[in-house]
Amino acid sequence: MSPRRVGLVGVLAIVLVAGAAVAANRALKDCLPVTLQLSSSTEKASGNPDAPKAMDLVVKDYNDAHREFGLGGEKGCATVRLSSVSSGTAERGLSSSDWTTVTGEQFKPHVWLPTSSAWVSLWQYEKPDTAPEGDDFESLAQSPLVLAMPREKAERFKAGLADAGLNFNWSVLGQLLEDGKPLQWGRPGLLSHGLPQWKGFSLRKDDPVESTSGLFALIAVSKAATNARVKEAELPEYLRRIERLVPNDIDPDGTQMMRDLRYESRCGLPDWGGRASAVIVQESLMYQYDANSLGGEPKNSTPCPSGSSGADAPDDLVPIYSTTNWVMDHPFVPLPGLTAAQRAAADDFLAFLSTPGAQERLANSGLRDRNGRRFPKLGLTELNERMGDAGVVLPESVTAPPGLAVQGREIAAIRDRWLASRKPVHLMVLIDESGTMAEDGSVAGRDRIAEVRSALQRAQAWLGRNDEFTIVGFAAKSRKHGGTKGPDERELCRNVCADPVRWEDFEQNRFESAVGNLKVRTADNDTPLFQAIMGAQQQVARRKAAAGRAGADDIYAVVVMTDGVDDYWGQSADDVLDNPREDIRSIPVYPVCFGITADEAEPLDRILKATTGLDSLSVGVAGTKGSLSGAFVSAFANAIRASY
């Protein structure tokens, strides 16, 4: 082609592109613009443009399509914005007066896309004045609850069931225990096809307060127990025994749980046998695990840690289906108070979700269609063919039996019974109030102490009516800022460096009042971190001693949040770990780090390992958007896990 023709083609291309842009702008000018805010559950949306999931891609497709719709005799055109929030967190945020405080997201949605309409039913029961009306929300897709295992374990497990003359249902989990302890894989009986090196049977599942797979696992196990004639009075102890199959740390969100499991499996940590024999999860997340399409980052970092056996691709997970299916319906929920324009935009986006392109996006995230069938050629069907076990591994259709749905009143009762099945918890929440907490947080327009208050509002969902708490702020002047009183070896930090300690029975109003009292002290106040931790441990140990024999089996713990390193009187983590008083140093400490580096967090990591037995800090230390809220939930959940 001649240079002249090349130039003409280039000019023509520019003209065509410019013409298209003018046409698009003209179309936008000729219509009434509407902004539609969506909030989706995390298995459908990541909020990460570098690792998008189904709904991220659908929203981009919709916005790129420049669709128009009727709007009162005019033409409307919508721009859709999307946030990714776990369903349980979103339900609490929507039913509260402050969406941003609970979720960390700036814009309250007009349309909610939870994993299950069970959350809508729970909202309607608990806060009927704020909830959407009706129970006939359009289902976008379906996904059943499964027990997922690596293929070899699944085959041996199913062979053991067959030898015992059993089909899998959720009551089988109760048979994996003996005297309240997990059975060994190598023992005779149900698990006779296991191997001794696989140790005790263990489960991973996510948080039923935060995430739908965990909520459905709780409902499924509770209903199966009732059907197996477990009496109402015996049910709390039955649930507590099932929880003993779960390691002493728990993920607030199912998507993050599966990311963590894939990371651990790839790196040989724990090789699906030490801390995880199986995982209870919705089928679509099992698919995303196998397809390595979970989005986001796994915990810690992508590279395997030094000394690990890793970095091979994990084996595919294989689902085991219950004889009683619990199916999540992924509803499309327009929220109360929409304007006519927002309602029209929502209807148009819902119609777009039925187009072939949008359906393909849902299929490739491992979801079934709205009737519970595998999409042809895509997603689960492709995985089924790759596994080579059609009709057994991934059935063509999975549906819930009629009448199986549980309504809000019963969901709340099951959840509260589960919380009540725990031993009572006595939790000290220790909050850094040093001057740096007045600096900008990770959410625009909010300082760090405001972000801490928001995170605590979300985390309180893990406390129940049998628990007690105290929230204590700490800060002190070091020598650098004119401080004259150093560490008090006799008292370890009287009243945790400033504030009085007052234990209170948990009630939401009391907790929120204590959170509201947190404040940043003068800018020249420093962070007596290790002194405060020792003081907090001392206060909790004192509370334990006061409870005597009656409270000896209760759970006593400290959750500490800091945005800095110790800059008080030159103390170190060794002062905490080498405390001569065993009753004090044995009190577990769960740190939450905000805005510090991994190296700066290392002393807290050592304290966590020494006092709790957990492997590493379960939260990121970079202070990215939303991380602090999730960090508090994780710390609260892990502190309370031991109470089962």
Side-chain angles (χ1 to χ4, degrees):
M1 184 180 294
S2 72
R4 183 172 179 274
R5 291 188 66 191
V6 171
L8 288 173
V9 171
V11 170
L12 181 60
I14 292 171
V15 170
L16 289 173
V17 170
V22 169
N25 288 335
R26 185 180 300 119
L28 290 174
K29 289 178 181 177
D30 290 344
C31 71
L32 298 175
V34 182
T35 298
L36 186 70
Q37 186 73 37
L38 305 182
S39 178
S40 171
S41 52
T42 57
E43 79 288 315
K44 296 193 293 288
S46 70
N48 179 359
D50 296 325
K53 302 182 82 167
M55 206 53 63
D56 303 280
L57 296 170
V58 170
V59 165
K60 184 178 185 304
D61 293 343
Y62 179 87
N63 288 335
D64 289 347
H66 301 295
R67 286 167 62 99
E68 295 179 347
F69 49 87
L71 188 57
E74 303 281 349
K75 289 187 298 184
C77 50
T79 298
V80 177
R81 297 188 303 199
L82 177 69
S83 63
S84 173
V85 180
S86 63
S87 296
T89 303
E91 185 271 329
R92 289 200 306 282
L94 291 168
S95 63
S96 77
S97 60
D98 191 343
W99 164 263
T100 299
T101 291
V102 176
T103 67
E105 295 290 338
Q106 183 176 0
F107 299 105
K108 189 172 183 178
H110 304 118
V111 174
W112 183 28
L113 308 176
T115 306
S116 170
S117 54
W119 294 107
V120 184
S121 183
L122 183 64
W123 181 8
Q124 290 170 331
Y125 168 67
E126 294 189 319
K127 301 280 184 72
D129 293 340
T130 64
E133 297 179 355
D135 58 2
D136 56 348
F137 303 105
E138 184 100 17
S139 173
L140 304 180
Q142 297 206 352
S143 188
L145 188 72
V146 300
L147 185 73
M149 301 169 128
R151 179 180 288 274
E152 183 184 4
K153 285 191 185 303
E155 289 174 351
R156 292 177 180 272
F157 184 75
K158 287 190 284 190
L161 289 172
D163 285 352
L166 295 173
N167 293 314
F168 178 72
N169 63 63
W170 297 107
S171 66
V172 165
L173 296 179
Q175 300 179 46
L176 300 175
L177 290 155
E178 184 175 81
D179 298 327
K181 298 179 181 179
L183 287 172
Q184 298 301 104
W185 278 91
R187 291 175 62 101
L190 182 61
L191 304 179
S192 61
H193 288 263
L195 298 173
Q197 62 265 35
W198 286 350
K199 304 178 183 178
F201 186 88
S202 57
L203 280 173
R204 289 287 284 268
K205 66 183 185 70
D206 54 4
D207 175 6
V209 176
E210 291 276 313
S211 193
T212 312
S213 291
L215 178 68
F216 268 58
L218 176 61
I219 293 171
V221 168
S222 297
K223 298 292 284 186
T226 302
N227 293 338
R229 296 185 175 85
V230 174
K231 296 178 181 178
E232 180 76 17
E234 299 169 343
L235 194 53
E237 177 56 27
Y238 181 87
L239 294 175
R240 185 181 298 173
R241 291 181 62 193
I242 296 296
E243 291 294 332
R244 291 172 192 158
L245 292 169
V246 183
N248 196 35
D249 58 335
I250 190 167
D251 289 279
D253 175 69
T255 305
Q256 185 61 43
M257 173 180 70
M258 298 306 285
R259 288 188 196 121
D260 292 350
L261 277 171
R262 187 174 174 88
Y263 171 82
E264 292 169 5
S265 181
R266 177 170 61 84
C267 296
L269 313 164
D271 92 324
W272 280 97
R275 290 171 54 246
S277 305
V279 57
I280 305 179
V281 71
Q282 64 168 305
E283 183 187 57
S284 65
L285 280 173
M286 181 215 71
Y287 169 85
Q288 291 174 28
Y289 177 103
D290 289 348
N292 195 20
S293 60
L294 289 158
E297 289 292 325
K299 71 179 180 183
N300 294 333
S301 59
T302 300
C304 293
S306 59
S308 70
S309 61
D312 295 328
D315 292 336
D316 282 342
L317 297 184
V318 173
I320 298 172
Y321 297 86
S322 172
T323 53
T324 301
N325 290 320
W326 290 90
V327 179
M328 298 159 225
D329 61 339
H330 294 270
F332 185 93
V333 185
L335 296 171
L338 298 191
T339 65
Q342 290 164 345
R343 183 72 217 206
D347 289 343
D348 188 62
F349 185 73
L350 177 59
F352 184 78
L353 284 165
S354 297
T355 62
Q359 291 288 290
E360 183 175 332
R361 299 293 195 195
L362 296 174
N364 284 330
S365 69
L367 290 165
R368 295 172 177 265
D369 71 15
R370 64 194 63 185
N371 297 309
R373 297 187 299 258
R374 293 197 321 249
F375 285 94
K377 300 181 181 179
L378 302 170
L380 292 170
T381 296
E382 184 278 327
L383 177 62
N384 193 72
E385 292 170 353
R386 176 157 58 86
M387 288 180 168
D389 199 1
V392 177
V393 174
L394 298 168
E396 179 72 29
S397 179
V398 175
T399 57
L404 191 62
V406 178
Q407 299 305 310
R409 180 186 295 274
E410 189 173 3
I411 295 170
I414 290 172
R415 179 203 59 197
D416 293 346
R417 189 185 296 120
W418 177 72
L419 287 170
S421 72
R422 296 188 285 100
K423 301 172 186 175
V425 172
H426 311 267
L427 187 66
M428 173 171 279
V429 185
L430 188 63
I431 303 296
D432 184 349
E433 291 184 330
S434 62
T436 55
M437 291 295 289
E439 295 178 3
D440 290 342
S442 60
V443 176
R446 312 186 80 194
D447 60 22
R448 292 178 176 182
I449 198 69
E451 219 165 323
V452 167
R453 293 191 197 102
S454 297
L456 283 168
Q457 299 285 9
R458 175 181 171 189
Q460 68 171 310
W462 260 96
L463 294 172
R465 62 179 180 271
N466 296 325
D467 302 327
E468 67 173 7
F469 74 95
T470 182
I471 298 177
V472 178
F474 70 94
K477 289 185 178 182
S478 66
R479 287 192 186 95
K480 179 175 67 175
H481 289 125
T484 58
K485 182 180 179 182
D488 187 330
E489 294 181 358
R490 294 167 300 172
E491 293 291 341
L492 297 179
C493 193
R494 183 185 298 273
N495 292 329
V496 196
C497 302
D499 290 350
V501 172
R502 184 178 64 188
W503 292 94
E504 297 189 77
D505 294 335
F506 176 75
E507 289 181 3
Q508 183 175 347
N509 290 341
R510 289 178 179 174
F511 190 88
E512 291 177 351
S513 175
V515 169
N517 289 332
L518 291 170
K519 59 189 180 300
V520 179
R521 305 190 191 183
T522 57
D524 58 354
N525 264 274
D526 303 301
T527 306
L529 179 58
F530 301 120
Q531 187 78 350
I533 289 174
M534 286 188 287
Q537 286 179 300
Q538 174 184 270
Q539 293 288 346
V540 175
R542 186 177 295 165
R543 182 70 188 90
K544 182 177 181 179
R549 184 176 299 177
D553 291 332
D554 292 357
I555 301 304
Y556 300 85
V558 175
V559 171
V560 57
M561 181 274 156
T562 181
D563 74 336
V565 297
D566 191 295
D567 54 4
Y568 188 42
W569 289 70
Q571 292 179 299
S572 72
D574 292 336
D575 291 292
V576 177
L577 300 177
D578 297 337
N579 192 318
R581 292 205 25 201
E582 196 279 334
D583 64 321
I584 293 176
R585 71 171 183 270
S586 65
I587 297 296
V589 177
Y590 298 86
V592 178
C593 304
F594 183 44
I596 63 178
T597 68
D599 287 343
E600 290 169 336
E602 188 276 335
L604 290 168
D605 194 47
R606 286 199 291 133
I607 291 172
L608 176 83
K609 291 175 181 177
T611 62
T612 71
L614 295 182
D615 292 333
S616 62
L617 288 172
S618 59
V619 301
V621 296
T624 54
K625 181 182 179 185
S627 66
L628 186 65
S629 182
F632 266 107
V633 170
S634 181
F636 270 53
N638 289 334
I640 290 168
R641 283 298 310 160
S643 65
Y644 285 99

